[in-house]
Amino acid sequence: GAACRDSANARGSTMASVSIAQPHTLVGARVARGAHASARSARVAATVPVGRTKIALISRSQSSWGPGVEALRRGPSVGRNARRFAGVSADAAAAATADAAPDKSTVVTDIIAGVSTACVAMPQSCAYALLAGTGVKCAVMAAAAASIPCAILGSSRYLQVGCLSLGALLTRGALVNLGIPLGSEVYVMGAATLAFYAGVTRVACGLARLGNIMTSLPVSILQGFVWAATWMVFFSQVPAMVGATASGPLAGHFATAAAWLAAHPAIWHPGTFALAAATFVIMLNGGKIHKMFPSALVCCVLGCVLAASGVDVGACVGAIHVDLGSLFPPAALQIGPEIAKALVVPGVALGVITYLEGAAVCRFWAEQDGEEWSSDKELVAQGVANICSAAVGGMTVAGVISRSSFGILSGAKTKLSHFVTGCCLIAFTVLGGGALLEVLPKAVLGALVSCGVLPLLGPTPKMKPLFDNIKAQPYEVKRDCILACATAAFTFTARPTLDIGLYRGIGLALLFKLFEKTRDLDKKENEEFEKAQNA
């Protein structure tokens, strides 16, 4: 339990369960919440009788990470630990009471944040659809169908749900492995079927209260897998950003195809490459203008204006039209029985693996401000969202780090912002907004996906000892570094789908565990820890 994790973290010797997301991807959003942290802390503490608490409340001025963060970092149930804080003055309690109910300004702020996030969610969804090979309509329908169920059923105020790069890549691998042509009608049905299986898996795991178990994989394995998958996502977007495709034997793998294109700049499309470069510049510098600068929306508008003006910027997405009458029967129920059976295992794996990103967002913010969240409740909410996505022919959805961060930066305070985002996406889809995609260049979407994964391309914390005299490091550091690097290598070379790399990494971790048991390393570590404590 939490006590065991505290001891393990204190001596740094176990493969503790932590989120797969690197915290620096949410650092900017952390600053945006600073103004409200003190009132939230007082509100949490005020709900508990002072006589029944034992730990003094730590002032916000003592830590830039928020009140009592060190006491909050204690595993999945960190939110409940916040109730132990005491020493709250009468003034703080009164302030907490006044802040308990959302006022008009909070509602307005949430509405603005929801609309702003929808402006980012739509181009992101289109970009991930191209990565998955499903066509834009599949992702647009998924984005429209998933937000509202999670806003109603979810436990986190911050989590934004939608299409994500890892889910798109795993969807593509699972369907291509069956020999289904990209973008075909059967391919889209297969993507919806995967979403259905992923949804059922999450609902079942949530009802069985397996949430904490699903997020307990060693951090070294998860970091290695996500790092490799992130690079694969980046490599996959190179053809869209240069307006060319690789040929020859190297074209069969994202990494080798990107290397081939890098070695042949003469075949690049000048307009496509220039627009992708401009997108990178805007995305990387838009936040310097203002924290709420809609960089993704500006890039899309710029690309549409150029394409509509006759400038040759390469291929465009094309308009989509939604006929509500065609949604029944659902696409997931129209696929052949043989393909449906073949997609069961990939669908279950997709439901488990992609859930971890959303769990990372919830856990990060639980550590920052003591927000209570339930992993089991999030599983059920996201499971229902995936089933709704499958019902309208959409692809797999999960919690998205970048979109959640943008919502927080935009001022989101409650789940109302997520509900508003869903309403905006539905309005865009139903009221004919898909016609605007006719002049949206693919170069912009490829660059948006690439910019979204840039923060995760560097070596992870578990990999860094490899470049820092690893021979002199303790055994635990060496083990975690080997696991992270090996899992990354397994993922890069995984065939036919990326998730096989994760399974191989888990197998290697079990071998390490067996080795440690046979050498009584755990017993020795406990003895050394007890000696250090007694000293």
Side-chain angles (χ1 to χ4, degrees):
C4 296
R5 282 192 295 271
D6 292 345
S7 298
N9 291 335
R11 63 180 186 268
S13 62
T14 62
M15 294 180 286
S17 61
V18 296
S19 71
I20 64 172
Q22 297 184 27
H24 66 263
T25 61
L26 291 171
V27 167
R30 178 195 311 145
V31 177
R33 305 299 299 181
H36 307 282
S38 297
R40 276 196 304 271
S41 303
R43 182 172 67 253
V44 170
T47 60
V48 182
V50 175
R52 298 171 64 180
T53 56
K54 299 179 181 180
I55 303 176
L57 179 65
I58 301 177
S59 171
R60 174 99 186 150
S61 62
Q62 295 175 329
S63 171
S64 61
W65 285 73
V69 166
E70 294 304 321
L72 290 174
R73 296 184 182 184
R74 297 293 183 262
S77 300
V78 290
R80 289 190 292 272
N81 293 338
R83 289 197 179 96
R84 300 175 184 170
F85 294 136
V88 182
S89 65
D91 293 340
T97 304
D99 187 60
D103 53 18
K104 291 183 178 179
S105 61
T106 300
V107 174
V108 173
T109 302
D110 279 333
I111 293 175
I112 294 175
V115 174
S116 302
T117 305
C119 294
V120 174
M122 186 53 64
Q124 271 189 344
S125 300
C126 295
Y128 296 146
L130 297 183
L131 173 59
T134 59
V136 172
K137 182 178 178 180
C138 185
V140 170
M141 298 302 293
S147 296
I148 291 180
C150 282
I152 297 174
L153 301 176
S155 63
S156 175
R157 303 191 303 269
Y158 308 121
L159 186 62
Q160 288 277 347
V161 172
C163 305
L164 68 165
S165 57
L166 180 58
L169 198 61
L170 292 175
T171 296
R172 183 184 184 121
L175 297 175
V176 170
N177 181 47
L178 297 179
I180 305 175
L182 287 173
S184 64
E185 184 178 359
V186 177
Y187 191 94
V188 176
M189 291 181 182
T193 304
L194 287 172
F196 175 76
Y197 289 149
V200 172
T201 300
R202 292 186 193 177
V203 171
C205 291
L207 294 178
R209 299 187 178 278
L210 300 178
N212 290 339
I213 296 177
M214 291 178 61
T215 56
S216 63
L217 286 175
V219 62
S220 51
I221 295 176
L222 295 173
Q223 284 188 2
F225 174 74
V226 173
W227 182 80
T230 300
W231 272 103
M232 297 290 278
V233 169
F234 182 83
F235 289 142
S236 70
Q237 298 306 301
V238 172
M241 292 188 291
V242 301
T245 55
S247 59
L250 298 180
H253 191 275
F254 287 138
T256 55
W260 189 92
L261 287 172
H264 297 78
I267 68 171
W268 295 1
H269 188 282
T272 300
F273 176 71
L275 181 58
T279 301
F280 264 89
V281 172
I282 296 173
M283 289 296 295
L284 296 178
N285 295 281
K288 298 178 182 179
I289 300 175
H290 192 273
K291 66 179 183 180
M292 291 180 60
F293 183 78
S295 301
L297 182 61
V298 170
C299 293
C300 291
V301 172
L302 174 63
C304 291
V305 170
L306 292 175
S309 302
V311 179
D312 187 5
V313 291
C316 294
V317 172
I320 63 171
H321 303 281
V322 178
D323 181 9
L324 297 180
S326 64
L327 299 180
F328 186 83
L333 300 180
Q334 300 180 43
I335 199 167
E338 293 184 359
I339 299 179
K341 291 179 181 178
L343 292 177
V344 172
V345 174
V348 172
L350 193 61
V352 174
I353 295 173
T354 56
Y355 167 72
L356 298 175
E357 181 170 337
V361 177
C362 296
R363 180 172 296 175
F364 181 88
W365 284 109
E367 292 176 350
Q368 301 315 305
D369 64 4
E371 180 204 31
E372 286 197 35
W373 73 284
S374 168
S375 184
D376 298 324
K377 191 173 181 179
E378 289 298 333
L379 275 170
V380 173
Q382 293 185 33
V384 173
N386 273 280
I387 294 174
C388 291
S389 174
V392 297
M395 57 190 292
T396 304
V397 296
V400 186
I401 291 178
S402 59
R403 194 177 305 171
S404 301
S405 300
F406 185 84
I408 296 167
L409 286 170
S410 301
K413 300 176 183 177
T414 70
K415 292 190 289 184
L416 174 62
S417 63
H418 197 183
F419 186 88
V420 172
T421 298
C423 292
C424 292
L425 294 175
I426 292 176
F428 178 89
T429 304
V430 175
L431 299 180
L436 301 175
L437 303 178
E438 184 176 2
V439 290
L440 179 60
K442 293 183 178 180
V444 173
L445 301 182
L448 288 179
V449 172
S450 300
C451 288
V453 300
L454 281 181
L456 299 176
L457 295 180
T460 69
K462 295 296 183 181
M463 293 180 175
K464 288 182 179 179
L466 182 65
F467 312 100
D468 186 20
N469 191 18
I470 189 171
K471 292 183 178 181
Q473 301 290 344
Y475 164 77
E476 297 80 12
V477 176
K478 293 178 182 178
R479 176 201 61 198
D480 290 347
C481 182
I482 292 173
L483 280 175
C485 295
T487 304
F490 291 152
T491 305
F492 269 120
T493 58
R495 289 292 185 277
T497 56
L498 291 182
D499 55 305
I500 293 178
L502 180 62
Y503 307 147
R504 291 173 178 170
I506 295 174
L508 182 60
L510 293 176
L511 291 177
F512 268 106
K513 192 67 176 177
L514 180 62
F515 170 77
E516 293 168 1
K517 287 291 184 182
T518 57
R519 297 296 184 90
D520 290 330
L521 293 181
D522 289 342
K523 183 177 179 181
K524 294 177 181 179
E525 290 169 359
N526 289 332
E527 291 176 353
E528 293 175 359
F529 177 70
E530 290 176 359
K531 290 180 181 179
Q533 290 292 97
N534 294 332

